[in-house]
Amino acid sequence: MNAILSATELAALLAGPNPPVLLDVRWQLSGAKAAGEPPFDGRAAYADGHLPGAVYVDLDTELASAPGAAGRHPLPDLDVFGAAMRRAGVAVRRPVVVYDGGQGWAAARAWWLLRWTGHQDVRVLDGGLPAWQGARETSTPAPAEGDFRPVPGPEGLLDADAAASLARSGVLFDARAGERYRGDVEPIDRVGGHIPGAVSAPTADNVDPDGRFRPARELADQFKALGATDGTPVGVYCGSGVSGAHEVLALAVAGIPAALYVGSWSEWSADPDRPVATGPDPQ
């Protein structure tokens, strides 16, 4: 099963006998977009219009724990995450489709969490809400309580030490923009640069200008050129485990399994004892 689906495919599923649970995970990085503008409010955007039947899920409080030593978006408390999923109607035997405002990062975070904790049928709407040409609604649905209870899998998650090891024994992709990887700028974290041995692979390279994923064959060729050859273990990190989930999703589209270092650079760089590499060279 492909990890993504088109708006046309989603419309067909919604009209079918077993329509998916829809999760709206619209989110943007905190902070005003311009002087005088308030920060993005995903819940307000949801209230203004969403896919019929979709339930809003808050990334900062339901798909992550509070910022701290483990990074800006550490793993959520599994009881909180599970309760949010059941409230949204997520059930073991019912498919789930996740979407956001089009960037794909937040939807990918929800997709990754559900997959890592055991749900077998989760996909992301390619292109997000802007790709949907059908009706929208403003009412808040009240779905029947789901039965999904998250159970973390044995694979798919990296901590800081495992990420450092993978950068030497396999391939560790840094999904941030190239200038942050090189350490030219660092607008958020304590210091700029990258984990020694990590390879720059910005998420922007995975999508077309409209935000949809590039064809699977193109993505596979791109990642293999960066070192993700057959049999090589692959991991991903970013700033705080959100855009990195989007890279893991792109790798899944390409048929390449990958693990996510959720703490990412926000955790790594906060520890002054961890080494930092700068410049375009991985080392």
Side-chain angles (χ1 to χ4, degrees), residues 110-172:
W111 167 85
W112 179 83
L113 276 168
L114 280 165
R115 292 289 295 165
W116 176 62
T117 56
H119 203 291
Q120 299 299 310
D121 192 349
V122 190
R123 285 184 279 180
V124 170
L125 175 60
D126 196 17
L129 186 61
W132 178 257
Q133 300 301 311
R136 301 186 189 186
E137 67 179 19
T138 57
S139 60
T140 301
E145 181 89 357
D147 64 3
F148 176 71
R149 296 191 179 277
V151 178
E155 300 178 344
L157 177 67
L158 301 172
D159 62 14
D161 290 340
S165 177
L166 187 59
R168 297 187 297 270
S169 63
V171 60
L172 179 67

Side-chain angles (χ1 to χ4, degrees), residues 71-72 174 176 180-181 183 185-186 188-196 237-241 261-271 274-278:
R72 278 191 305 281
D174 184 317
R176 299 172 300 158
R180 291 186 69 192
Y181 170 87
V185 298
E186 181 43 66
I188 305 174
D189 293 310
R190 183 185 67 85
V191 64
H194 57 270
I195 295 173
Y237 76 96
C238 58
S240 64
Y261 172 26
V262 173
S264 286
W265 191 246
S266 58
E267 178 186 43
W268 182 278
S269 65
D271 184 348
R274 293 201 177 275
V276 171
T278 56

